[in-house]
Amino acid sequence: MPDDERALRPAAGRGPGLERCHGSRLSVEDGALVLRARGRIRRVPVGDGGVARAVFVDAAAADTGRDEPGRPGAWGEVRLQDRDGAQVARIPLGDWLPEAPALPERAVQGEQLLERTGVAGLLKAAGVPLHVARDRNDPRAGSGKGGVFLGPGPAFPLWYWCVRGVAGTLWFSAFTVVVFSGRVPGWLVLLLALTALCGPVARLALRAWTRLRAGRRRVTVLERVTPSPAPGSGATVRFLRETELRVQDRDLVLRDLGGQEYWFPRSGPHAVTRLVKVADGTGRPVGAELRGPGEQVRAVFPWELWFGGADGWSRLSAASGLTVSERRLSGRRTWPKGPVLGTGLLPGTGRDARRTARFPGTAAGVSSTAVMAFGSLFSVMQGVRIADTAPGVAAVATAAGALGLALQTVPYVVHEMRGRLVLDRPARSRPRRIQEIGTGFTSTSRRDHEGRPTASA
């Protein structure tokens, strides 16, 4: 098992991406760098015949967009080389920075980024000297080609990509023949309809798989702090239900209203170390800061949204075991300073909140949904087209197309209506009382990620 004190935590994820937050780790074990990701283990030896030095290329890739947080390559990478300078492996920094999806590209750079991710401590423990190259053309950086990719793995499981890939290839082949042929055989229309249906069915199966996997996870929750906003803070029902801070045995986890979780280690060289209560010039609390290595601010919590109506601050302070301090802003200084996780946890409009909370899609985004909808609609059209020559096949194709449209439309309509009528409405002015999760803060109190009691490990 990895040494969690130095093991790296992945960038925040939600939906199927939560699998990475719970299980993906990069650690040092028995003289090797060990990557655990989605049930697989990969070892990269350190020393003779393996990694002898590391070069942090502190520059974004040439093809990286400037306004896309979390894009691969945006944060630079660490290239692991052998004694001859050949690349053995590479570590993408952005994939191991928990708050990367919430920050602008390269908001953190250089040594600060190495400390936040834990890469500096990891390589020090492995005895690997680390150099920094500010330019990709630096001779020490090498070519950047080859070697093992030490990332936390994809957000979506392999079976989902296989189903979508095979079905998409067959559908496109059938679609091409149907479009450019005068007479279309019934079996080809049937193939077209069934492969088009695979997309919506696979997405629905992914939702079920994600929920099932989430129910099986077991973590030790010592305390759970949900927002207790002051009246008039603008908090919504969704914000109160979905957002929380979990103090676990090894991690401090922030969950936003979209279901995305940010995991911060509670021990080790890259652990969060302090909670700072921030007050304005008059002494009125304006927020709290979660700080890590080098006093870097990892996350902020606006006071009126999180602690304005109950005793969440005292419970968080006691359960986290972090050093607690206070500081007062001087003059007209704004807070927080610069981009930081926590300032955008409450979207400005209900529409933004529903977009944030929608089940995650692939990199294709809306384009993927549009193609699936077109495929289902095209199946209905072809079913009507061959109704006279092949009534049986036509009925199946039409039904498959209609079912595909329904599987895409119904979840979207339910999501939108539930948000508009219930979740994205203003919360009651009277803050709800936060219930205690347990009677103590001992790690023997075993609970899963939903707070239900489980058997001791």
Side-chain angles (χ1 to χ4, degrees):
M1 292 300 291
D3 178 4
D4 263 25
E5 286 195 353
R6 293 190 178 91
L8 308 191
R9 269 65 168 177
R14 63 192 184 98
L18 283 178
E19 194 81 9
R20 298 190 306 182
C21 296
H22 282 263
S24 294
R25 297 290 185 269
L26 180 60
S27 58
V28 177
E29 302 175 38
D30 301 326
L33 293 173
V34 179
L35 172 67
R36 286 179 167 81
R38 286 200 173 277
R40 63 185 176 88
I41 299 177
R42 176 167 288 176
R43 300 178 64 89
V44 177
V46 174
D48 294 335
V51 177
R53 67 182 183 186
V55 179
F56 171 36
V57 183
D58 190 16
D63 59 348
T64 298
R66 300 304 302 174
D67 298 313
E68 299 183 37
R71 183 167 176 175
W75 300 87
E77 64 182 9
V78 173
R79 297 174 181 175
L80 307 176
Q81 304 169 348
D82 62 16
R83 298 189 186 281
D84 297 325
Q87 186 161 294
V88 177
R90 58 194 176 99
I91 303 174
L93 270 294
D95 287 357
W96 296 107
L97 178 65
E99 63 266 42
L103 299 180
E105 177 186 321
R106 294 181 59 76
V108 185
Q109 302 179 35
E111 286 72 12
Q112 289 188 339
L113 181 57
L114 293 171
E115 290 180 348
R116 281 202 193 192
T117 56
V119 169
L122 186 75
L123 294 178
K124 183 178 180 180
V128 177
L130 176 61
H131 309 282
V132 177
R134 308 294 180 184
D135 190 330
R136 289 186 174 272
N137 295 322
D138 190 311
R140 294 177 299 178
S143 65
K145 298 180 180 179
V148 178
F149 183 76
L150 297 180
F156 290 78
L158 180 61
W159 65 262
Y160 179 75
W161 289 117
C162 290
V163 171
R164 292 293 302 271
V166 172
T169 301
L170 292 175
W171 179 86
F172 184 77
S173 301
F175 173 78
T176 303
V177 175
V178 168
V179 169
F180 292 101
S181 299
R183 299 186 62 181
V184 180
W187 67 267
L188 192 61
V189 173
L190 183 61
L191 176 64
L192 183 80
L194 294 179
T195 52
L197 181 61
C198 284
V201 170
R203 179 177 289 183
L204 197 64
L206 180 63
R207 287 172 177 258
W209 180 88
T210 300
R211 184 177 292 273
L212 179 64
R213 298 283 290 186
R216 291 178 175 177
R217 296 191 190 108
R218 295 293 181 265
V219 294
T220 304
V221 178
L222 307 181
E223 182 64 284
R224 190 187 305 272
V225 178
T226 53
S228 181
S233 60
T236 61
V237 175
R238 188 193 300 274
F239 180 73
L240 293 186
R241 288 188 181 182
E242 304 297 335
T243 308
E244 68 175 11
L245 264 171
R246 291 200 310 268
V247 181
Q248 299 178 178
D249 55 343
R250 295 180 175 179
D251 300 271
L252 185 64
V253 181
L254 170 62
R255 177 184 173 92
D256 65 19
L257 55 72
Q260 189 151 259
E261 293 187 355
Y262 305 83
W263 286 51
F264 301 102
R266 297 180 59 204
S267 61
H270 61 307
V272 288
T273 55
R274 279 214 300 158
L275 281 171
V276 180
K277 183 178 181 181
V278 182
D280 61 17
T282 65
R284 180 180 64 89
V286 296
E289 298 173 341
L290 179 65
R291 297 188 172 229
E295 292 298 309
Q296 296 184 61
V297 178
R298 306 298 301 273
V300 297
F301 310 100
W303 196 267
E304 286 194 349
L305 282 177
W306 279 92
F307 312 114
D311 60 347
W313 173 250
S314 60
R315 293 190 298 109
L316 175 62
S317 301
S320 66
L322 301 176
T323 301
V324 179
S325 62
E326 297 186 14
R327 75 181 182 95
R328 181 172 294 191
L329 300 175
S330 58
R332 296 183 178 180
R333 291 181 59 188
T334 59
W335 181 89
K337 183 179 180 181
V340 63
L341 171 63
T343 55
L345 290 186
L346 182 59
T349 66
R351 182 179 181 182
D352 292 337
R354 290 188 291 277
R355 185 185 299 112
T356 300
R358 201 170 293 154
F359 190 80
T362 63
V366 177
S367 299
S368 176
T369 301
V371 169
M372 287 194 297
F374 173 77
S376 298
L377 182 61
F378 192 74
S379 298
V380 174
M381 295 170 57
Q382 294 305 310
V384 173
R385 177 185 176 186
I386 65 171
D388 294 335
T389 57
V393 172
V396 174
T398 303
L403 179 60
L405 289 173
L407 292 180
Q408 296 173 78
T409 303
V410 172
Y412 174 79
V413 171
V414 170
H415 174 80
E416 288 292 313
M417 295 305 296
R418 186 165 176 257
R420 291 174 183 271
L421 299 178
V422 181
L423 297 180
D424 297 321
R425 299 179 68 85
R428 292 181 180 181
S429 58
R430 181 182 179 184
R432 62 175 182 170
R433 183 68 176 175
I434 302 175
Q435 297 297 321
E436 295 287 347
I437 292 300
T439 58
F441 303 136
T442 61
S443 60
T444 56
S445 177
R446 302 290 295 187
R447 297 174 183 271
D448 67 11
H449 75 293
E450 298 291 343
R452 295 183 294 265
T454 66
S456 297

